[in-house]
Amino acid sequence: MIIVMKSSATKEDVAKIKEGVEAKGLRTSIVVGEEQTIIGLIGDTTKIDPRSLEVVPTVEKVMYVSVPYKLASRHFHPEDSVIDVSGVKVGGGNYCYIAGPCSVESEEQVIEIAKAVKKAGANMLRGGAFKPRTSPYAFQGMGSTALDILLKAKEVTGLPIVTELMDESHIEEFEEKVDLIQIGARNMQNFSLLKELGKRTTKPILLKRGLSATYEEWIMSAEYIMANGNPNVILCERGIRTFETYTRNTLDLQAIPVLQRMTHLPIVIDPSHAGGKYWLVEPMAQAAMIAGADGLMIEVHNDPECAMCDGAQSLKPEKYEALMTKIKKIEELR
Amino acid sequence: MIIVMKSSATKEDVAKIKEGVEAKGLRTSIVVGEEQTIIGLIGDTTKIDPRSLEVVPTVEKVMYVSVPYKLASRHFHPEDSVIDVSGVKVGGGNYCYIAGPCSVESEEQVIEIAKAVKKAGANMLRGGAFKPRTSPYAFQGMGSTALDILLKAKEVTGLPIVTELMDESHIEEFEEKVDLIQIGARNMQNFSLLKELGKRTTKPILLKRGLSATYEEWIMSAEYIMANGNPNVILCERGIRTFETYTRNTLDLQAIPVLQRMTHLPIVIDPSHAGGKYWLVEPMAQAAMIAGADGLMIEVHNDPECAMCDGAQSLKPEKYEALMTKIKKIEELR
Amino acid sequence: MIIVMKSSATKEDVAKIKEGVEAKGLRTSIVVGEEQTIIGLIGDTTKIDPRSLEVVPTVEKVMYVSVPYKLASRHFHPEDSVIDVSGVKVGGGNYCYIAGPCSVESEEQVIEIAKAVKKAGANMLRGGAFKPRTSPYAFQGMGSTALDILLKAKEVTGLPIVTELMDESHIEEFEEKVDLIQIGARNMQNFSLLKELGKRTTKPILLKRGLSATYEEWIMSAEYIMANGNPNVILCERGIRTFETYTRNTLDLQAIPVLQRMTHLPIVIDPSHAGGKYWLVEPMAQAAMIAGADGLMIEVHNDPECAMCDGAQSLKPEKYEALMTKIKKIEELR
Amino acid sequence: MIIVMKSSATKEDVAKIKEGVEAKGLRTSIVVGEEQTIIGLIGDTTKIDPRSLEVVPTVEKVMYVSVPYKLASRHFHPEDSVIDVSGVKVGGGNYCYIAGPCSVESEEQVIEIAKAVKKAGANMLRGGAFKPRTSPYAFQGMGSTALDILLKAKEVTGLPIVTELMDESHIEEFEEKVDLIQIGARNMQNFSLLKELGKRTTKPILLKRGLSATYEEWIMSAEYIMANGNPNVILCERGIRTFETYTRNTLDLQAIPVLQRMTHLPIVIDPSHAGGKYWLVEPMAQAAMIAGADGLMIEVHNDPECAMCDGAQSLKPEKYEALMTKIKKIEELR
């Protein structure tokens, strides 16, 4: 951490800051510039709140040198993390292909889709049970009934189950029934929930990026889960909010190579929610895999025109199969 | 709701959509344009998910005519809502002035500040007990102990208490001890929490705007609470995320007149968190009140240089008093 | 265009609007809803400024049905445009690979790089002569001297030249010396310049997307050039501004399939400027080509550590060659 | 400027950077931290392009300590600049109230409005002659004819004239006829134009903020004009682009106190373009003045329902007069 003093700061002002910081167990190094003096802090700076320094009238600004996360950092954990989702490995060269309907609607629907996506090459099954909807009047999902339907589809196909958790009161039920617990974009900074996911389960967590979150904020949310006891986190990019209104959100594929530098956690791409249009899924899924993603999460529906939600972004099973054929060729190029 | 057909759509395509929509109990009106045909939907369109129509290959796009909220809408409730916070009225010409420290640190601190802000004209006391922090290693607040300290300050000063709830497991404790329950920006779309606030309490809720939320999304979150049974919602603008990094966030004061058109709920401004710098509080607080706000929420600290968090944005009590003197003059101009 | 009346509007209010619109040569169709009446406008609505209607007190809002561009629209020009850049075709299955240094520094430098990128598979040469810099104190480019250096490199290699025009006073010089005239992101809405590019030249224009521009705004800028007489426009996505500060900008690859629906103009991707880091170029260039781009623009420098600007994002010639080998394999997959 | 080395950097790597920097005439100071070494640069760092350092493989990142502008900086020019616009002073306690129609439509219109706004308290007249429009098919302004109409209104009322320049070919005509030359938001980073405004005129410039510009970028654009010879720059905040679509843009009033710290140049607020709705003008204009603005630019039209553009955001003269009465009371509070 570096403290930049105002140009009006005196030697006494600098000495006072130096003392205060050293009292907290850090060492300092002073650089006297022509316009301004800067104080370098040496030691574990995570305990110092930079805002408590910025308030000092003689301080111009405070800048971070090191990243504020440790457990998720590639720096302290150079090799890729490989997360085991009930036998399906993710990361370190192991790809996960999650597919399934946006919402669970019926047992027949889910089992039919599960069989189809398995045949096409998917190795996990997704399906919404509890749905985060911006309107209180919109369909909110079938809840626990949907979890049981997903379990039946797992029995039939062997595919591990991925579904979204919205509420800590359901953690035990998810621990029992679900293989990969998804945390949605709107809960990325629901810190209470993140803590409980660290404390009460070691099931893998699929942590979606918040709509306006920076990479660092996203990794800090993973760090919350990890620091509370659960190291099994997979990151999922699902599009960020931009000024563009033609698409639902803007998919950020630079996230793939950047996060692979910042963290050892796997990164999965969800092109269905990002664009919100089914015809964007194929080009973006291919682009994600050639750019180095550890997997894809794709919505597949057997009757998109009648889906209770998000049909606009779902692929039919035959289109998913065609896509997976292309994806396999891209795997060979990597 | 209006359905715009693609220019390639045939009469049969239009008829098919018309039938489907009318089967759901709505009436339709067809406008045949030179390039495209549009279908106007007449009746209660809240039950129709526009995305289920967008997926139809012959549909170009779907546009909303009416707003998707009812209970929060000014249209159906023309007069201002007046929310009663343990005797302090907010809205409809009644101003609330919430002040206090970012975090509760000790009984002495809180009582001293409470007395000072009451003397200066504040009519509610704020203080953080449970703190949402982006780092799991940062101070997370004193929790329930802090609530008891706030209660003592209430006994001494009579000021109702405002503090943030992060977790539905604390609703009963807040119901008992807190007068105005704050929901933070990062939980604005924590829909599980919003539902429980509607079902399990009728205590007033101070709903902060999400960092990247639109006005409509913000009102929809209020609608969530209201539709689940709690009509007592106060909105709080606290700055939105923009590309500017000099300030913490950008305060959106246009929100005041716009929301007063959209909704009957009161709107309060938090200039402390928006700018993140104490010297922005005075000009922005005055600007908010002249623009028509129903109140202010301001951080006041007796020793900003030592605050455990957010000292940079806190006013000292004497500065708060000077500000309130100016605010009183602005009240007279309104 | 659709006019949504306020719910308080009377039949007379609706009739008044109807008359006004019909006086401008359009036909109307009225849809009387339960809450609101809407007026559909039939005919050429490009002459009506929607803002002149929004001001009418009885009007709630005005919505566009058709897009506001014609010449650039895929709707009126279904087949891909193929732009001829001094013999190199772009679009409709013809790929352009533009490569070269950020800034022209010397004849030796440019010729060496030109030979290297040609050998690797590039079919156009880029090089900055006039540089848009945010600081008036930064290196502003070698100007006309640089154009002459680029011409020599063209003589040697046969590669057509791409370079940025910042100022209409240079149009004649560019007309004479340059093969593809680049318009930078910061000039995307320099409407005076766009008009002159339409009127005074038919040289192909490489129109970069503005840092915060929507797809429609970008296409409207192309429409400016086209409506003034120059149909030869190639679009170039170079990253948009987002909240992320780790990268320079965020590359929007969804732009590729979306623009291919909206317009018939070719779209080229510049991964060098988007991310601002050389190690992002390879994954993003591959992702762009698999997603359907018509070409790439990539910075290549023989000594990135000493480049006068933007070295951080340049590839060395050997890395560019390795990348082009991969790109050729991706071409085969398309 | 501070260079943060990677944790893997050796002493030799640090020494190499140190030598390179010192070769450019700067001194260095090394801080050896536990994880990383940082190098402080002492001297005039404006000549060093930070990107040329970031490319070095052993460098983690480069951070600015000082601001990159000098002439516009409050640091080197502590007192407020007072800009003289043909006798009307702006800044340092002198307020400018610019009012007039969006577009010049006729002599009668402009003279009538000019008289009305002068009576209400305006001290400058605005009126669009050359209009930047996103559509090539929209009304582009009356051009030079409009300038002559404005001159007649100036003869009648004595009000100095403010109008937008889009093109360097008009600088001489503006020099002759216009008192305050407006540069629009979309040209804020038209660096060629900024340079010419510095070189070819000393007429005051009203520099509008770009739709997505940061404070620093905006000040750097002022610095461009100043560094090229014209010190007379007034800044104008006119709203920034955000995710909100209900309003045209979002007015950033924090810009007022922040810019007053960063620069000595006056700052004027344009609430008409920011919100795009006439009923937002009154609350935002008052808010701007209580927050410390040096003036206002407001659209006034005698027949908003028929204005050729932007009528939706114009005030009628009587509303402007009522607003100015309120503004005068706010002046007394400052």
Side-chain angles (χ1 to χ4, degrees), chain D residues 85-103:
Chain D
V85 181
S86 304
V88 175
K89 290 186 162 45
V90 187
N94 305 286
Y95 308 132
C96 74
Y97 296 113
I98 308 168
C102 177
S103 294

Side-chain angles (χ1 to χ4, degrees), chain D residues 73-308:
Chain D
S73 169
R74 173 75 77 176
H75 181 67
F76 297 106
H77 187 302
E79 69 282 9
D80 288 346
S81 271
V82 178
I83 309 294
D84 186 310
V85 181
S86 304
V88 175
K89 290 186 162 45
V90 187
N94 305 286
Y95 308 132
C96 74
Y97 296 113
I98 308 168
C102 177
S103 294
V104 169
E105 292 165 31
S106 73
E107 194 176 317
E108 296 69 34
Q109 170 227 25
V110 174
I111 291 179
E112 187 184 321
I113 295 174
K115 286 179 179 172
V117 299
K118 188 185 183 186
K119 178 166 160 280
N123 54 13
M124 290 192 218
L125 175 68
R126 61 151 289 154
F130 299 90
K131 304 289 301 172
R133 304 301 300 272
T134 46
S135 169
Y137 309 119
F139 174 60
Q140 312 269 323
M142 292 173 69
S144 295
T145 312
L147 295 187
D148 294 326
I149 291 176
L150 288 166
L151 272 180
K152 288 197 187 149
K154 182 183 176 183
E155 278 175 34
V156 175
T157 60
L159 294 175
I161 290 170
V162 188
T163 195
E164 179 167 351
L165 174 80
M166 288 177 63
D167 198 325
E168 61 183 81
S169 68
H170 295 127
I171 291 180
E172 277 66 36
E173 190 179 1
F174 272 61
E175 171 81 22
E176 183 194 339
K177 298 178 181 174
V178 172
D179 301 286
L180 176 59
I181 301 174
Q182 177 180 322
I183 298 302
R186 287 172 186 76
N187 275 326
M188 191 200 86
Q189 292 196 319
N190 180 342
F191 301 120
S192 291
L193 185 58
L194 299 178
K195 279 183 203 170
E196 297 305 312
L197 290 169
K199 288 181 191 163
R200 287 160 57 186
T201 183
T202 54
K203 276 277 166 87
I205 309 297
L206 186 74
L207 180 66
K208 288 202 157 187
R209 179 182 184 180
L211 277 80
S212 299
T214 62
Y215 300 143
E216 189 174 292
E217 288 168 340
W218 188 12
I219 295 176
M220 286 305 280
S221 289
E223 186 89 0
Y224 250 98
I225 300 170
M226 299 169 87
N228 280 286
N230 184 351
N232 300 310
V233 181
I234 301 173
L235 301 168
C236 180
E237 158 71 24
R238 45 75 71 216
I240 53 172
R241 180 164 275 193
T242 65
F243 301 133
E244 187 53 62
T245 55
Y246 186 94
T247 51
R248 178 189 266 203
N249 292 119
T250 297
L251 188 65
D252 173 15
L253 292 180
Q254 287 181 172
I256 302 166
V258 169
L259 283 170
Q260 285 169 346
R261 291 221 158 190
M262 295 173 89
T263 178
H264 51 89
L265 300 172
I267 175 157
V268 166
I269 302 296
D270 174 352
S272 303
H273 281 83
K277 297 182 190 290
Y278 70 90
W279 49 270
L280 284 172
V281 173
E282 185 179 299
M284 290 303 110
Q286 293 185 78
M289 290 308 295
I290 199 84
D294 294 300
L296 297 169
M297 176 143 92
I298 289 175
E299 281 189 21
V300 177
H301 200 283
N302 46 6
D303 184 9
E305 296 188 28
C306 295
M308 296 179 82

Side-chain angles (χ1 to χ4, degrees), chain A residues 133 137 217 223-224 241, chain B residues 133 137 217 223-224 241:
Chain A
R133 304 301 301 272
Y137 309 120
E217 288 169 340
E223 186 89 1
Y224 250 98
R241 181 165 274 193
Chain B
R133 304 302 300 274
Y137 310 118
E217 288 169 339
E223 187 88 2
Y224 250 99
R241 180 165 275 192

Side-chain angles (χ1 to χ4, degrees), chain D residues 62-75:
Chain D
V62 177
M63 300 187 289
Y64 265 111
V65 171
S66 311
V67 295
Y69 47 88
K70 300 279 169 189
L71 301 173
S73 169
R74 173 75 77 176
H75 181 67

Side-chain angles (χ1 to χ4, degrees), chain C residues 238 240 244-250 273-276 310 313, chain D residues 51:
Chain C
R238 43 77 71 216
I240 53 173
E244 187 54 62
T245 55
Y246 186 94
T247 50
R248 179 190 265 204
N249 291 118
T250 297
H273 280 83
D310 280 357
Q313 68 202 26
Chain D
R51 299 184 60 81

Side-chain angles (χ1 to χ4, degrees), chain B residues 111-122 157 300 317-318 320-321:
Chain B
I111 289 179
E112 186 185 321
I113 295 175
K115 286 179 179 173
V117 299
K118 189 186 182 184
K119 178 166 160 282
T157 60
V300 177
E318 52 271 26
Y320 180 68
E321 195 167 353

Side-chain angles (χ1 to χ4, degrees), chain C residues 99-100 109-122 125 156-157 159 300-302 315-318 320-322 324:
Chain C
Q109 170 226 28
V110 174
I111 290 179
E112 185 184 322
I113 295 175
K115 286 179 180 172
V117 299
K118 188 185 182 187
K119 177 165 161 281
L125 175 68
V156 175
T157 61
L159 295 174
V300 177
H301 200 283
N302 45 7
L315 294 188
K316 293 197 178 176
E318 53 271 26
Y320 180 68
E321 195 167 354
M324 287 302 290

